[in-house]
Amino acid sequence: MAFAAIVSFASCSSEDNNTTIENESAVKVMTFTATQEGDEQSTRAAISTSDSTVINWESEDKISIFDGTKNNPFTLKNGAGTKSATFQGEAGQSNSYTAVYPYQENASLSGDDVTNVTLPATQTATDNSFDKNAALMMAKSDNTTLEFKNAVGYVKVKPKFDCKRIDLKAFDNSAVLAGTGTVSYNGGEPTLDLSNAKTKDYAITLTGDIKANNYYYIAVPPVTLKAGWTIKFTASNGTVYSRKGTQDIIFTRNKVTNLGVFATTGDYWYEPRGIVDESKEVDLGLTINIGTKNYKVIFAKSNLTEEGLAANESDFGDYFAWGATAPWYNSYTIDGDGKPIVEESNWAIKGGYTASNAPYYNKGSYTKYTTDGKTLETADDAANVILGGDWQIPTLAIWKALVGITTKGWDSTNKGYTFTINSQTLFLPAAGYVDGTSFKYVGSYVRYWSGTAESSINESSINAYRLSFNGSTLNVGNSGRYNGYPVRPVRLVAVD
């Protein structure tokens, strides 16, 4: 399927090309007429009339047709370059047919739903069009005329410079953007459910020879991206231009969301490093997998403070409750034993780090982040609020990956843990933690927050995951969210 010029979902008419079936129980060669969703003002794609024409079928297009028994491949026979085409293949006689575009080899019919349908996380850039392998549509009919309805929406962008990739990413895994899920016909308004996908992708990458001043479309599921989503353009020379969304954005089935025109001279770009200088980063070469994509983990060289990063990698930094974006004291001093001390008058929140002071804790239970594995949103992530850019508190997956590296150990001289990959070393000081108003185990033990929530059957004891270590142990566990723990920021960089 291809655009004649640029995307619009145009109305089409069709003729009934029913094939006579001599033996209703036998599989026969059949021909189906396929049209596409109407171009009425109420349902048409949201693009201007100046660049709006129609979607056309393309040679070698292929669809899945379910006759109630099998998933049958049908290939375009006639009508390439037009909005109404015929597809031919073999199927059994049935009172009802369900079809999906493009052909899904592993899909199967389950009642009115089609399962194992894939929206790809990596899509091929096509000038003034979209990747046909991502253009999910569905049809249902009691005869051999199929009117396909869109199951996805589209994001439209126009770079004014040559690119080799465009990445659209949901912030903090707030929305699944690609994966293998279920399509339901839903009375002619198909829904795409990726919530139970075995592999979930929170980013979509458009790759290819992306030319300046052309429009490009990314197929997306009907979801809401929360504020903090990003779109990144990698120019042909390797320069990365990033823009972060500061408001929620809703993607709707059969609609095009126009994100606009992007130029290298625009004042809307942001710096992924935020306020952190490159010299304050450590790249161990550690990578993690999110869905089908790999990301390199870049660590800050020192712990987080209320104003940025600590001056030295051995400094303790500030101590934060989980979900709090500032410490609960005004300042601390270091005593003769190297232990932080907060004068009573310097506590910004009375009682210090106690359950009653915890963010989103009300009358004995938590009101937010009550699902296991939920990640802190931008507004509640101290690393992102303070440093900006792509910085975040490490997720549980990041800490697990760090614990799993081979070369690591306790540094008895500097009182902390070192992690080394390919001659690059990360040092985490044993900064202890704060319980109430007491600093504990400073110099011998520490707990570092992750940004990942831990659930419990008892809402009053819902925790969050953290990394901890001393001279003999290193592990990942969970603790009460009200505790004051240090934070070591990270940012993720997509790996080709």
Side-chain angles (χ1 to χ4, degrees), residues 17 24 137 209:
N17 289 336
E24 292 187 357
M137 297 191 296
D209 187 13

Side-chain angles (χ1 to χ4, degrees), residues 53 66 68 96 117 131 157 167 199 201-202 213 252 254 267 283 314 339-340 363 386 407 446-447 454 462:
T53 54
F66 302 87
S96 177
V117 173
D131 182 352
V157 295
D167 294 275
T199 301
D201 282 282
Y202 303 94
N213 298 313
T252 305
N254 196 39
D267 59 1
D283 180 5
S314 58
K339 180 179 177 180
K363 296 180 181 179
I386 295 170
T407 306
V446 70
R447 294 173 178 173
E454 183 269 344
I462 288 177

Side-chain angles (χ1 to χ4, degrees), residues 142-160:
D142 58 4
N143 54 56
T144 55
T145 296
L146 301 170
E147 184 179 358
F148 279 91
K149 306 285 187 177
N150 293 289
V152 296
Y154 293 89
V155 169
K156 171 185 174 183
V157 295
K158 183 181 181 179
K160 300 193 75 173

Side-chain angles (χ1 to χ4, degrees), residues 19 35 64 87 122 140 192 233 244 261-262 276 300 336 351-352 355 369 371 387 405 414 416 421 489 493-494:
T19 299
T35 64
S64 287
F87 286 78
T122 300
K140 194 174 180 67
L192 174 61
F233 297 79
K244 180 173 289 186
V261 179
F262 298 84
V276 178
Y369 303 113
T371 302
L387 302 179
I405 73 172
N414 296 305
I421 301 177
V493 179

Side-chain angles (χ1 to χ4, degrees), residues 36-107:
Q36 294 166 41
E37 191 154 20
D39 190 29
E40 292 81 5
Q41 191 63 36
S42 60
T43 60
R44 66 175 299 167
I47 57 178
S48 68
T49 55
S50 63
D51 61 10
S52 171
T53 54
V54 297
I55 295 175
N56 288 333
W57 295 105
E58 192 174 38
S59 62
E60 300 183 1
D61 273 346
K62 199 173 180 181
I63 60 178
S64 287
I65 294 183
F66 302 87
D67 56 17
T69 303
K70 291 178 59 181
N71 175 2
N72 306 285
F74 275 63
T75 304
L76 186 138
K77 180 183 179 182
N78 295 308
T82 70
K83 57 190 178 183
S84 179
T86 57
F87 286 78
Q88 191 171 79
E90 292 185 349
Q93 179 71 8
S94 175
N95 292 326
S96 177
Y97 296 97
T98 299
V100 171
Y101 177 90
Y103 174 65
Q104 303 281 325
E105 181 179 6
N106 298 316

Side-chain angles (χ1 to χ4, degrees), residues 360-371 454-463 481:
Y360 305 110
Y361 185 78
N362 183 42
K363 296 180 181 179
S365 64
Y366 284 92
T367 59
K368 192 174 183 180
Y369 303 113
T370 56
T371 302
E454 183 269 344
S455 70
S456 169
I457 58 174
N458 181 358
E459 286 189 355
S460 65
S461 62
I462 288 177
N463 295 331
R481 301 178 182 182

